[in-house]
Amino acid sequence: MSVNEPAKHMHEETAEAGIQEKHDTHGAQGAPATPEAASAAPAADWEPKIVGFACNWCTYAGADLAGTSRIAYPPNIRLIRVPCSGRVNPQFVLRAFEKGADAVLVAGCHPGDCHYSTGNYFTRRRFLLTKRLLEYVGIEPGRFHARWISGSEGSKFAQVAKEITEQVKALGPYRKSQDAE
Amino acid sequence: MKKLTEEIRRKAKELLASGTVQYVLGYEAARNAYEPRPVFIRRPEDVDRLVWNPFCANTLAKYLFEDRYKEGKIGIIAKGCDSRGIVRLINDGQITREQVYIIGVPCTGLLDPAKLPPVPDGVPVEVEDQGESFSLALPGGAKVVAKAEAMPAKCQNCDYPNPVISDVIIGKEVQPRQVTPQARYAEVIELEAYKPEAKKAYWESVFDRCIRCYACRNVCPACDCKECVFDQAEPRWVSKAINVPENRIFHITRALHVAGRCVECGECDRICPMHIPIRKLNKKIAKDLGELFGEQRPGTQLEEKPALGFYAVNDPEEFM
């Protein structure tokens, strides 16, 4: 496993660094003084952090199209490029939450359009299950999303980013534990 | 139960004397009558150590996986749930069918020591099956306990009491219970109805107890990776820290790794020193898999694929 993964590692570290950076600015601008204050309401300048796993062949190209078409979408979403949505291990999603993401998106080609023929069919099975399990252990339904976004759907990508950001803003920060932070 | 013990001993002796098996995996009486322990019998003259009673809870299947250098066949005593663990290992390619000689024992239900009056160490307890109850010869006199009260939860809803594969069957086949999905998943259905905050609070109180001893993984016949993700140093997916968020990731990961492969033996629940209801996660996954992709009972047939190991083009679509 470890031999074939340098690329993924790099992406992941970048994403984590991004998250960490955001955390620091947040702290500098005045973190809530007490845990009670934190649980009551997020800080006024709080912005959700959303990690998006985008498949190289469809969703990443779709996001690119959104950019080149000058479609505005919230900068809260940070993309991590993966070769295929089938590459996304539920472990990545859990780890993203653990590292401070408020929501996670897994996006890939529409079923039937996979560059590797069948990768996203496995993604679909896996995440239908993961989504339900996350909800079962108390992670709000709005925090995990999976979407099919093709390379020509730049506007859909922007729309999805917008929708998720709005949902997560309504939910507030993801709290890892009642007494943590 | 005495009769079954005799028959098991006779069969084990025969297998060892003829050289059919290298050793027999079974149970022997230990310090406390309620806790017989697994034993490896290698010589025909030792077979009298073997016992059989409703306290023989341990799934022995995992020992097949632990023995990496099998020289000959291994004889193993298996209840219904244990036999599904053996099928799991065969389907996962960890052992071959030819490597095991399965001494199947149809199971009339186990007894949960926590639901019985304690007995002092060293005192043997004879148990007889009486259909809907067990009679126990306790030091203070005989006691009859109803199965509905003294069986562990997993046995109350067991619909595979007979070994699914075996080379020989000891005792009479048991009529399987008719269990509806509603009954099988009752505790999951109850928990699903909670609001997200209530679910979170419930699971946090549960995960807070976890000491990360990994006993649930070690005992699980479906946890059969040669190197476990929780032991890996690089990449270290799950931190070794013991706190609620890390424990949550540990438990979700463990549950997902056995998704579609859990054989419902309930060993994780039994072994947990902190009484974490681990099966509530496993059952949730089994329930969802059944609803999404059609009911599958892992470990009941050879050559079946786990639910996440294949796909169907017409799987439910929610991610439009």
Side-chain angles (χ1 to χ4, degrees), chain A residues 53-120:
Chain A
F53 292 97
C55 110
N56 178 44
W57 305 98
C58 289
T59 308
Y60 203 81
D64 211 12
L65 181 64
T68 49
S69 316
R70 305 285 188 270
I71 305 172
Y73 63 86
N76 303 68
I77 189 158
R78 292 133 164 93
L79 287 189
I80 297 176
R81 187 165 62 150
V82 287
C84 173
S85 58
R87 172 68 183 91
V88 184
N89 188 325
Q91 199 72 63
F92 298 0
V93 176
L94 296 172
R95 179 125 163 180
F97 279 121
E98 176 52 28
K99 291 284 174 186
D102 297 303
V104 177
L105 166 73
V106 175
C109 310
H110 288 260
D113 291 348
C114 180
H115 183 77
Y116 308 99
S117 302
T118 60
N120 52 8

Coordinates of all heavy atoms in Angstrom, one line a residue, chain A residues 53-120:
Chain A
F53 N -13.4 15.2 -2.5 CA -12.5 14.3 -3.2 C -13.1 14.3 -4.6 O -14.2 13.9 -4.8 CB -12.6 12.9 -2.6 CG -11.9 12.9 -1.2 CD1 -12.7 13.0 -0.1 CD2 -10.5 12.8 -1.1 CE1 -12.1 13.0 1.2 CE2 -9.9 12.7 0.1 CZ -10.7 12.9 1.3
A54 N -12.3 14.7 -5.6 CA -12.8 14.8 -7.0 C -12.0 13.9 -7.9 O -10.8 13.8 -7.9 CB -12.6 16.3 -7.5
C55 N -12.7 13.1 -8.7 CA -12.1 12.2 -9.6 C -11.4 13.0 -10.7 O -11.9 14.0 -11.2 CB -13.1 11.2 -10.1 SG -13.5 11.3 -11.8
N56 N -10.3 12.5 -11.1 CA -9.4 13.2 -12.0 C -10.1 13.4 -13.4 O -10.0 14.5 -14.0 CB -8.2 12.4 -12.3 CG -7.2 13.0 -13.3 OD1 -7.0 14.2 -13.3 ND2 -6.7 12.1 -14.1
W57 N -11.0 12.5 -13.8 CA -11.5 12.5 -15.2 C -12.8 13.2 -15.4 O -13.0 13.7 -16.4 CB -11.6 11.0 -15.6 CG -10.4 10.3 -15.5 CD1 -10.1 9.4 -14.5 CD2 -9.2 10.3 -16.3 NE1 -8.8 9.0 -14.6 CE2 -8.3 9.5 -15.7 CE3 -8.9 11.0 -17.5 CZ2 -7.0 9.3 -16.3 CZ3 -7.7 10.8 -18.1 CH2 -6.7 10.0 -17.5
C58 N -13.6 13.3 -14.3 CA -14.9 14.0 -14.5 C -15.0 15.2 -13.6 O -15.0 16.4 -14.0 CB -16.0 13.1 -14.2 SG -16.2 11.8 -15.5
T59 N -15.0 15.0 -12.3 CA -15.3 16.1 -11.4 C -14.2 17.1 -11.3 O -14.5 18.3 -11.3 CB -15.6 15.5 -9.9 OG1 -16.6 14.5 -10.0 CG2 -16.1 16.6 -9.0
Y60 N -13.0 16.7 -11.4 CA -11.9 17.7 -11.4 C -12.0 18.5 -12.6 O -11.8 19.7 -12.6 CB -10.6 16.9 -11.3 CG -9.5 17.8 -10.7 CD1 -9.4 18.0 -9.3 CD2 -8.6 18.5 -11.5 CE1 -8.4 18.8 -8.8 CE2 -7.6 19.3 -11.0 CZ -7.5 19.5 -9.6 OH -6.5 20.3 -9.1
A61 N -12.3 17.9 -13.8 CA -12.4 18.6 -15.0 C -13.7 19.5 -14.9 O -13.7 20.7 -15.4 CB -12.6 17.6 -16.2
G62 N -14.7 19.1 -14.3 CA -15.9 19.9 -14.1 C -15.6 21.1 -13.2 O -16.1 22.2 -13.6
A63 N -14.8 20.9 -12.2 CA -14.4 22.1 -11.4 C -13.6 23.0 -12.2 O -13.7 24.3 -12.0 CB -13.7 21.6 -10.1
D64 N -12.7 22.5 -13.0 CA -11.9 23.3 -13.9 C -12.8 24.1 -14.8 O -12.5 25.3 -15.0 CB -11.0 22.4 -14.7 CG -9.7 23.0 -15.0 OD1 -9.4 24.1 -14.4 OD2 -8.9 22.4 -15.8
L65 N -13.8 23.5 -15.3 CA -14.7 24.1 -16.3 C -15.4 25.3 -15.5 O -15.6 26.4 -16.1 CB -15.7 23.2 -16.8 CG -16.7 23.7 -17.8 CD1 -16.0 24.2 -19.1 CD2 -17.7 22.7 -18.2
A66 N -15.8 25.0 -14.3 CA -16.5 26.1 -13.5 C -15.5 27.3 -13.4 O -16.0 28.4 -13.5 CB -16.8 25.6 -12.1
G67 N -14.3 27.0 -13.2 CA -13.3 28.1 -13.1 C -13.1 28.8 -14.4 O -13.2 30.1 -14.5
T68 N -12.9 28.1 -15.5 CA -12.6 28.7 -16.8 C -13.9 29.4 -17.3 O -13.8 30.4 -18.1 CB -12.1 27.7 -17.9 OG1 -13.0 26.6 -17.8 CG2 -10.7 27.3 -17.6
S69 N -15.1 29.0 -16.9 CA -16.3 29.6 -17.3 C -16.6 30.8 -16.4 O -17.7 31.4 -16.5 CB -17.5 28.6 -17.2 OG -17.2 27.4 -17.8
R70 N -15.7 31.1 -15.4 CA -15.9 32.2 -14.5 C -17.2 32.1 -13.7 O -17.9 33.0 -13.5 CB -15.9 33.5 -15.3 CG -14.7 33.8 -16.1 CD -13.5 34.1 -15.2 NE -12.4 34.6 -16.0 CZ -11.4 33.7 -16.5 NH1 -11.5 32.4 -16.2 NH2 -10.4 34.2 -17.2
I71 N -17.5 30.8 -13.3 CA -18.7 30.7 -12.4 C -18.2 30.7 -11.0 O -17.3 30.0 -10.6 CB -19.4 29.3 -12.7 CG1 -19.7 29.1 -14.1 CG2 -20.6 29.1 -11.8 CD1 -20.2 27.7 -14.5
A72 N -18.8 31.6 -10.2 CA -18.4 31.8 -8.8 C -19.0 30.7 -7.9 O -20.2 30.3 -8.1 CB -18.8 33.2 -8.3
Y73 N -18.2 30.2 -7.1 CA -18.7 29.2 -6.1 C -17.9 29.5 -4.8 O -16.8 30.0 -4.8 CB -18.6 27.8 -6.6 CG -17.3 27.2 -6.8 CD1 -16.5 26.6 -5.8 CD2 -16.7 27.2 -8.1 CE1 -15.3 26.1 -6.1 CE2 -15.5 26.7 -8.4 CZ -14.8 26.1 -7.4 OH -13.5 25.6 -7.6
P74 N -18.5 29.1 -3.6 CA -17.8 29.4 -2.4 C -16.4 28.8 -2.3 O -16.2 27.7 -2.7 CB -18.8 28.8 -1.3 CG -20.0 28.5 -2.0 CD -19.7 28.3 -3.5
P75 N -15.5 29.6 -1.7 CA -14.1 29.0 -1.6 C -14.0 28.1 -0.4 O -12.8 27.7 -0.2 CB -13.3 30.3 -1.4 CG -14.2 31.3 -0.7 CD -15.6 30.9 -1.2
N76 N -15.0 27.7 0.2 CA -15.0 26.8 1.4 C -14.6 25.4 1.0 O -14.1 24.6 1.8 CB -16.3 26.8 2.1 CG -16.8 28.1 2.5 OD1 -17.1 28.9 1.7 ND2 -16.8 28.4 3.8
I77 N -14.8 25.1 -0.3 CA -14.5 23.7 -0.7 C -13.1 23.6 -1.2 O -12.6 24.4 -1.9 CB -15.5 23.2 -1.8 CG1 -15.4 21.7 -2.0 CG2 -15.4 24.0 -3.0 CD1 -16.6 21.1 -2.6
R78 N -12.4 22.6 -0.6 CA -11.0 22.4 -1.0 C -10.9 21.0 -1.7 O -11.3 20.0 -1.1 CB -10.1 22.4 0.2 CG -9.9 23.7 0.9 CD -10.1 23.5 2.4 NE -9.7 24.7 3.1 CZ -10.5 25.7 3.5 NH1 -11.7 25.7 3.1 NH2 -10.0 26.6 4.2
L79 N -10.5 21.0 -2.9 CA -10.5 19.7 -3.7 C -9.2 18.9 -3.5 O -8.1 19.5 -3.4 CB -10.7 20.0 -5.1 CG -12.1 20.5 -5.6 CD1 -12.2 20.5 -7.1 CD2 -13.2 19.6 -5.0
I80 N -9.4 17.6 -3.4 CA -8.3 16.7 -3.4 C -8.5 15.8 -4.6 O -9.5 15.2 -4.7 CB -8.2 15.9 -2.1 CG1 -8.0 16.8 -0.9 CG2 -7.1 14.8 -2.2 CD1 -8.0 16.1 0.4
R81 N -7.6 15.8 -5.5 CA -7.7 15.1 -6.8 C -7.4 13.6 -6.5 O -6.3 13.3 -6.0 CB -6.9 15.7 -7.9 CG -7.1 15.1 -9.2 CD -6.6 15.9 -10.3 NE -5.1 16.0 -10.2 CZ -4.3 16.2 -11.3 NH1 -4.9 16.2 -12.5 NH2 -3.1 16.3 -11.1
V82 N -8.2 12.8 -6.9 CA -8.0 11.3 -6.8 C -8.1 10.7 -8.2 O -8.9 11.2 -9.0 CB -8.9 10.6 -5.8 CG1 -8.6 11.0 -4.4 CG2 -10.4 11.0 -6.1
P83 N -7.4 9.6 -8.5 CA -7.6 9.1 -9.9 C -9.0 8.6 -10.2 O -9.4 8.7 -11.4 CB -6.6 7.8 -9.8 CG -6.3 7.6 -8.4 CD -6.5 8.9 -7.7
C84 N -9.7 8.2 -9.2 CA -11.1 7.7 -9.5 C -11.8 7.8 -8.2 O -11.2 7.7 -7.1 CB -11.0 6.3 -9.9 SG -12.6 5.4 -10.1
S85 N -13.1 8.1 -8.2 CA -13.9 8.1 -7.0 C -13.8 6.8 -6.2 O -13.9 6.7 -5.0 CB -15.3 8.5 -7.2 OG -16.0 7.6 -8.1
G86 N -13.5 5.7 -7.0 CA -13.3 4.4 -6.4 C -12.1 4.3 -5.5 O -11.9 3.4 -4.7
R87 N -11.2 5.3 -5.7 CA -10.0 5.4 -4.9 C -10.3 5.8 -3.5 O -9.5 5.6 -2.6 CB -8.9 6.3 -5.5 CG -7.7 6.6 -4.7 CD -6.9 5.4 -4.6 NE -5.7 5.6 -3.7 CZ -5.7 5.3 -2.4 NH1 -6.8 4.9 -1.8 NH2 -4.6 5.5 -1.7
V88 N -11.4 6.4 -3.3 CA -11.7 7.0 -2.0 C -12.2 6.0 -1.0 O -13.2 5.4 -1.1 CB -12.8 8.2 -2.1 CG1 -13.0 8.8 -0.8 CG2 -12.4 9.2 -3.2
N89 N -11.3 5.8 -0.1 CA -11.5 4.8 1.0 C -12.4 5.6 2.0 O -12.1 6.8 2.3 CB -10.1 4.5 1.6 CG -10.2 3.4 2.6 OD1 -11.1 3.3 3.4 ND2 -9.1 2.6 2.7
P90 N -13.4 5.0 2.6 CA -14.1 5.7 3.7 C -13.2 6.2 4.8 O -13.5 7.2 5.4 CB -15.0 4.6 4.3 CG -15.2 3.6 3.2 CD -13.9 3.6 2.4
Q91 N -12.0 5.6 4.9 CA -11.0 6.1 5.8 C -10.6 7.6 5.5 O -10.4 8.3 6.5 CB -9.8 5.2 5.7 CG -8.8 5.3 6.8 CD -9.4 4.6 8.0 OE1 -9.7 3.4 8.0 NE2 -9.7 5.3 9.1
F92 N -10.6 7.9 4.3 CA -10.2 9.3 3.9 C -11.2 10.3 4.5 O -10.9 11.3 5.0 CB -10.2 9.5 2.4 CG -9.2 8.7 1.6 CD1 -8.3 7.8 2.3 CD2 -9.1 8.8 0.2 CE1 -7.4 7.0 1.6 CE2 -8.2 8.0 -0.5 CZ -7.3 7.1 0.2
V93 N -12.5 9.9 4.4 CA -13.6 10.7 4.8 C -13.5 10.9 6.3 O -13.6 12.0 6.9 CB -14.9 10.1 4.4 CG1 -16.1 10.9 4.9 CG2 -15.0 9.9 2.9
L94 N -13.3 9.8 7.0 CA -13.2 9.8 8.5 C -12.0 10.7 8.9 O -12.1 11.5 9.8 CB -13.0 8.4 9.0 CG -14.2 7.4 8.8 CD1 -13.8 6.0 9.2 CD2 -15.4 7.9 9.6
R95 N -10.9 10.5 8.2 CA -9.8 11.3 8.5 C -10.0 12.8 8.3 O -9.5 13.6 9.0 CB -8.6 10.8 7.7 CG -7.3 11.5 8.0 CD -6.2 10.6 8.4 NE -5.0 11.3 8.3 CZ -3.8 10.8 8.6 NH1 -3.7 9.6 9.0 NH2 -2.7 11.5 8.4
A96 N -10.7 13.1 7.2 CA -11.0 14.5 6.9 C -11.7 15.1 8.1 O -11.4 16.2 8.6 CB -11.7 14.6 5.6
F97 N -12.8 14.4 8.5 CA -13.5 14.9 9.7 C -12.6 15.1 10.9 O -12.7 16.1 11.6 CB -14.7 14.0 10.0 CG -15.9 14.1 9.1 CD1 -16.4 13.1 8.4 CD2 -16.5 15.4 9.1 CE1 -17.5 13.3 7.6 CE2 -17.7 15.6 8.3 CZ -18.1 14.5 7.5
E98 N -11.8 14.1 11.1 CA -10.9 14.1 12.2 C -9.9 15.3 12.2 O -9.6 15.9 13.2 CB -10.1 12.8 12.3 CG -9.1 12.6 13.4 CD -9.6 13.0 14.7 OE1 -10.8 12.8 15.0 OE2 -8.8 13.4 15.6
K99 N -9.5 15.6 11.0 CA -8.5 16.7 10.8 C -9.2 18.1 10.8 O -8.5 19.1 10.5 CB -7.7 16.5 9.6 CG -6.8 15.3 9.7 CD -5.6 15.6 10.5 CE -4.7 14.4 10.7 NZ -3.6 14.6 11.7
G100 N -10.5 18.1 11.0 CA -11.1 19.4 11.1 C -12.1 19.8 10.0 O -12.5 21.0 9.9
A101 N -12.4 18.9 9.1 CA -13.4 19.3 8.0 C -14.8 19.4 8.6 O -15.1 18.6 9.6 CB -13.3 18.3 6.9
D102 N -15.6 20.3 8.1 CA -16.9 20.4 8.6 C -17.9 19.6 7.7 O -19.0 19.3 8.1 CB -17.4 21.8 8.7 CG -16.6 22.6 9.6 OD1 -16.5 22.2 10.8 OD2 -15.9 23.6 9.2
A103 N -17.4 19.3 6.5 CA -18.2 18.4 5.6 C -17.3 17.8 4.6 O -16.2 18.3 4.4 CB -19.3 19.3 4.9
V104 N -17.7 16.7 4.0 CA -16.9 16.0 3.0 C -17.8 15.7 1.8 O -18.9 15.3 2.0 CB -16.3 14.7 3.6 CG1 -15.5 14.0 2.5 CG2 -15.4 15.0 4.8
L105 N -17.2 15.9 0.7 CA -17.9 15.6 -0.6 C -17.0 14.6 -1.3 O -15.8 14.7 -1.4 CB -18.0 16.8 -1.5 CG -18.4 16.6 -2.9 CD1 -19.9 16.2 -3.1 CD2 -18.2 17.9 -3.8
V106 N -17.7 13.5 -1.8 CA -17.0 12.6 -2.7 C -17.7 12.7 -4.0 O -18.9 12.5 -4.1 CB -17.1 11.1 -2.2 CG1 -16.5 10.1 -3.2 CG2 -16.4 11.0 -0.8
A107 N -16.9 13.0 -5.1 CA -17.6 13.2 -6.4 C -16.8 12.5 -7.5 O -15.5 12.5 -7.5 CB -17.7 14.7 -6.7
G108 N -17.5 12.0 -8.4 CA -16.9 11.3 -9.5 C -17.8 11.3 -10.8 O -18.8 12.0 -10.8
C109 N -17.4 10.5 -11.7 CA -18.1 10.4 -13.0 C -19.5 9.7 -12.7 O -19.6 9.0 -11.7 CB -17.4 9.5 -14.0 SG -15.6 9.9 -14.2
H110 N -20.4 10.0 -13.6 CA -21.7 9.3 -13.5 C -21.5 7.8 -13.7 O -20.7 7.4 -14.5 CB -22.7 9.9 -14.5 CG -23.1 11.3 -14.3 ND1 -24.3 11.6 -13.7 CD2 -22.5 12.5 -14.4 CE1 -24.5 12.9 -13.6 NE2 -23.3 13.5 -14.0
P111 N -22.3 7.0 -13.0 CA -22.2 5.6 -13.2 C -22.4 5.2 -14.6 O -23.3 5.8 -15.3 CB -23.4 5.0 -12.3 CG -23.6 6.0 -11.3 CD -23.3 7.4 -11.9
G112 N -21.5 4.4 -15.1 CA -21.5 4.1 -16.6 C -20.5 4.9 -17.3 O -20.1 4.5 -18.4
D113 N -20.0 6.0 -16.7 CA -19.0 6.8 -17.5 C -17.6 6.7 -16.9 O -16.8 7.5 -17.3 CB -19.5 8.3 -17.3 CG -20.7 8.6 -18.1 OD1 -21.1 7.7 -18.9 OD2 -21.3 9.7 -18.0
C114 N -17.4 5.8 -16.0 CA -16.1 5.7 -15.3 C -15.0 5.5 -16.3 O -15.1 4.7 -17.2 CB -16.1 4.6 -14.2 SG -14.6 4.5 -13.4
H115 N -13.9 6.3 -16.1 CA -12.7 6.1 -17.0 C -12.2 4.7 -16.9 O -11.6 4.2 -17.8 CB -11.7 7.1 -16.5 CG -10.5 7.1 -17.4 ND1 -10.4 7.7 -18.6 CD2 -9.2 6.6 -17.2 CE1 -9.2 7.6 -19.2 NE2 -8.5 6.9 -18.3
Y116 N -12.4 4.1 -15.7 CA -11.9 2.7 -15.5 C -13.0 1.7 -15.5 O -13.0 0.7 -14.9 CB -11.1 2.7 -14.1 CG -10.1 3.7 -14.0 CD1 -10.3 4.9 -13.3 CD2 -8.8 3.5 -14.6 CE1 -9.3 5.9 -13.2 CE2 -7.9 4.5 -14.5 CZ -8.1 5.7 -13.8 OH -7.2 6.6 -13.7
S117 N -14.1 2.1 -16.2 CA -15.3 1.3 -16.4 C -16.2 1.1 -15.2 O -17.4 1.3 -15.3 CB -14.9 -0.1 -17.0 OG -14.2 0.1 -18.2
T118 N -15.6 0.6 -14.1 CA -16.5 0.1 -13.0 C -16.2 0.8 -11.7 O -16.9 0.5 -10.7 CB -16.4 -1.4 -12.8 OG1 -15.0 -1.7 -12.5 CG2 -16.7 -2.1 -14.1
G119 N -15.2 1.7 -11.6 CA -14.7 2.2 -10.3 C -15.9 2.8 -9.5 O -16.0 2.6 -8.3
N120 N -16.7 3.7 -10.2 CA -17.7 4.4 -9.4 C -18.9 3.5 -9.0 O -19.6 3.9 -8.1 CB -18.2 5.6 -10.2 CG -18.6 5.3 -11.6 OD1 -18.7 4.2 -12.0 ND2 -18.8 6.4 -12.4

